[in-house]
Amino acid sequence: MAVQQQSDTIVAVHTPVKARVEWIDVAKGVAITLVVLGHVVWVLSLLELPTSDVWRRVLQATSPMRMPGFFLMSGLFAHRFAAGSFERFARRRVIGFVYLFALWLAITAVVEVGLQFWLHDTAKVVSRTNLVHNVLWLETPLWYLVALPAFHLIWWGTRNVASWVPLTVAGIGYVVVETGATALPGMLSSTGYRGMIQYAFFFMVGARLSKPLRDVVGRMTPLRSVAIVTAWLAMELWLPAVPMKSLLAVPALFAISQLIVLTPLRPAAQRAGRRTLPLYLMNWLAVAIVGGVWLQFDVSATPLTELLVPAITLPVVIAMIAGVWHLTHDISFIWGPSSRVEDKVVDVMRRLDDLEPASSSDTSALDTQDPLTGRKAPRPIDVPFIHSHRSMTSITR
């Protein structure tokens, strides 16, 4: 706080440091909640537990905003690394994601072995038994952790190229997938690779148009927000099969977040937005565990239970994950690589690419905000939704 004295009047001038952007946290909270809801409905359906078509319609309508919105927000702050070294960029935007992907694939495989004792014969419908195939084909809920470093590397390699070039190339990939103009061959048709081709455009939009996007959304009035949401709902009602709906659905996500900022729902949405990493990494397993509890009660399918079972499962899963996070967030290796691991990877990179060490005097790029986390790191590394005493932060700022 700076204090300025004029005559007998004391004027307090508050200068907050790197204040968080509310609508980004809220938008991330909305998006991750919809991702968890999608897995709730999917897993409960696999276990033949009651799930209403109402939930499926909600997910179908919001599908065009969830992952595209996440990827766009991931790109919003990439520009802060443009003037730094590749080593710093790799620490903050590549190494941590790859580490988390490998670690949580292993954790998921181990937990799914335990699910066989909990879910018995039904475990096979929610488990991914062919681990090698799932990794190579990216048929895993964790594919986002491969897409993010890939997108960041593409951005880094094209950062000095005119913006229209990567935007046009990525846009063509988006149109091809969205319109079904051509069938994707082989593994490119898998969940992960298809998603990367489909959503690279939104990451590049966020990375290349960061400032105007943040300015436009930041100045969005409640009336304009309502108009955008209304247009999106009208499209879902009258043109549900139209391709490329994300071009309106993502702005609708941001408009919804601006409206939520004005309501009592804001704190809950912000908390979810600042803890997207544990929610993202653990929700599939948590839903399977809660589904096993429902199986013990032999719940019959009625219109009421089809609405209530998913509605109850969603907050229970979120609360369960929050509890695990609270108990484990100080165990740094679970949520990000140790400094020793980072240094070894960087050392290999230097040997392979003859990289120069990063300058220790430039710290301007350390405070960034990306869509998956929410805390600042003491070291120059940023991994989604992460916090650890030693090296992690969030994927957000």
Side-chain angles (χ1 to χ4, degrees):
M1 178 188 298
V3 180
Q4 179 181 3
Q5 185 171 1
Q6 298 177 343
S7 302
D8 296 329
T9 304
I10 303 295
V11 180
V13 181
H14 293 270
T15 56
V17 179
K18 300 287 184 181
R20 295 187 63 88
V21 182
E22 280 188 324
W23 70 263
I24 293 180
D25 281 337
V26 171
K28 290 190 302 174
V30 172
I32 194 62
T33 301
L34 291 171
V35 168
V36 177
L37 177 61
H39 288 163
V40 165
V41 173
W42 178 248
V43 173
L44 293 183
S45 299
L46 291 175
L47 296 175
E48 298 183 351
L49 287 162
T51 53
S52 172
D53 285 339
V54 172
W55 295 113
R56 295 184 181 89
R57 286 196 291 270
V58 169
L59 292 170
Q60 183 179 8
T62 57
S63 177
M65 68 171 54
R66 298 194 300 265
M67 297 312 294
F70 259 132
F71 281 118
L72 191 149
M73 288 184 284
S74 296
L76 283 179
F77 298 90
H79 67 278
R80 294 187 176 181
F81 296 91
S85 68
F86 180 76
E87 177 184 327
R88 170 169 291 157
F89 166 76
R91 285 179 181 271
R92 294 289 290 271
R93 287 296 182 267
V94 179
I95 298 173
F97 293 117
V98 175
Y99 172 89
L100 283 172
F101 178 73
L103 175 66
W104 278 88
L105 269 178
I107 292 174
T108 299
V110 171
V111 174
E112 286 186 345
V113 172
L115 287 178
Q116 296 178 16
F117 299 96
W118 177 239
L119 299 177
H120 303 294
D121 292 339
T122 56
K124 60 186 177 183
V125 303
V126 299
S127 299
R128 298 168 188 268
T129 54
N130 193 336
L131 185 60
V132 174
H133 177 273
N134 293 337
V135 172
L136 294 178
W137 285 65
L138 292 184
E139 289 288 359
T140 165
L142 302 177
W143 69 270
Y144 185 84
L145 297 178
V146 175
L148 270 184
F151 290 169
H152 277 99
L153 286 171
I154 293 171
W155 167 82
W156 177 269
T158 62
R159 69 194 186 283
N160 295 323
V161 177
S163 294
W164 69 267
V165 176
L167 286 174
T168 299
V169 174
I172 291 172
Y174 171 66
V175 172
V176 166
V177 174
E178 282 285 306
T179 61
T182 182
L184 297 177
M187 67 170 54
L188 292 182
S189 63
S190 69
T191 301
Y193 291 111
R194 179 186 175 91
M196 291 171 70
I197 297 171
Q198 188 175 10
Y199 301 135
F201 172 71
F202 291 93
F203 179 89
M204 289 301 169
V205 168
R208 291 292 186 147
L209 304 176
S210 175
K211 187 178 187 304
L213 281 173
R214 286 182 287 132
D215 289 345
V216 168
V217 179
R219 294 196 301 266
M220 192 179 293
T221 64
L223 183 59
R224 290 177 181 175
S225 298
V226 170
I228 293 173
V229 174
T230 302
W232 165 65
L233 291 174
M235 179 185 65
E236 287 297 331
L237 181 61
W238 287 298
L239 299 170
V242 68
M244 298 186 292
K245 293 194 292 185
S246 295
L247 297 179
L248 181 56
V250 172
L253 170 64
F254 299 153
I256 291 170
S257 71
Q258 288 287 41
L259 294 174
I260 291 177
V261 166
L262 305 176
T263 73
L265 296 175
R266 180 186 64 179
Q270 283 180 307
R271 283 194 297 272
R274 293 172 180 176
R275 290 292 177 269
T276 45
L277 178 68
L279 288 170
Y280 176 74
L281 293 176
M282 290 189 283
N283 76 86
W284 182 272
L285 298 176
V287 173
I289 293 171
V290 176
V293 176
W294 283 116
L295 290 175
Q296 309 305 313
F297 292 96
D298 191 24
V299 182
S300 59
T302 68
L304 181 60
T305 59
E306 289 176 348
L307 286 172
L308 288 181
V309 170
I312 294 171
T313 301
L314 177 62
V316 169
V317 165
I318 293 175
M320 178 187 299
I321 294 172
V324 173
W325 163 261
H326 179 73
L327 294 173
T328 64
H329 71 273
D330 287 332
I331 306 176
S332 58
F333 78 89
I334 295 179
W335 306 109
S338 66
S339 57
R340 181 178 299 178
V341 171
E342 295 170 26
D343 292 341
K344 286 184 177 179
V345 174
V346 170
D347 185 58
V348 171
M349 291 165 53
R350 288 174 181 161
R351 293 179 183 180
L352 292 176
D353 300 311
D354 195 27
L355 296 177
E356 292 296 327
S359 171
S360 60
S361 61
D362 179 13
T363 60
S364 60
L366 296 187
D367 292 329
T368 61
Q369 175 170 348
D370 259 301
L372 293 184
T373 58
R375 295 197 180 185
K376 294 181 180 178
R379 288 175 50 83
I381 184 164
D382 190 3
V383 179
F385 348 76
I386 294 173
H387 163 75
S388 82
H389 284 319
R390 304 188 58 177
S391 64
M392 291 290 108
T393 168
S394 64
I395 247 190
T396 49
R397 311 177 167 153

